[in-house]
Amino acid sequence: PDAIQRGLMGQIISRFEAVGMAIVRIRLTTASPQFMQRFYAEHRQMPHFDRLIDYMTSGPLCFIEMEGADALKRARVLAGATDPIEAAPGTIRGDLGLYLPRNALHTSDSPEAARSEIALVFDDGKA
């Protein structure tokens, strides 16, 4: 919700497009707690889980499936470190992130996670 609340979607999308990535699918929605619990299931045992779910259901979300050469690796580098305080200048989180959880965007961390997240968001359709 951070990027939408702060009017950053255009800037974020432009950064991905500028490095040759293209939008395959895009979905704007407000997710239920149950959906976000499935989306972040690997974080269930972490102390920040409930705070993460509360935040991610606090407003609209924009999910984007993108493609391009080395898309996953490129997206992770472009996004920067998860914590904006640790993210390098020039990365999306380094330039636009505030603090956790307001770090501007989520990127899949592995090909398996990307496939699972894409299926959950776009094929399940029950955000």
Side-chain angles (χ1 to χ4, degrees), residues 3 6 16 24 26 32 35 37 43 50 68-69 74 79 95 118:
R6 295 175 43 219
F16 285 105
V24 175
I26 189 166
S32 70
F35 176 86
Q37 288 168 1
H43 296 282
D50 290 337
R74 181 163 279 193
D95 294 346
I118 289 166

Side-chain angles (χ1 to χ4, degrees), residues 84-107:
I85 294 169
E86 298 172 4
T91 65
I92 294 170
R93 291 180 180 133
D95 294 346
L96 304 176
L98 299 176
Y99 49 82
L100 289 175
R102 298 190 68 146
N103 66 352
L105 77 158
H106 165 87
T107 57

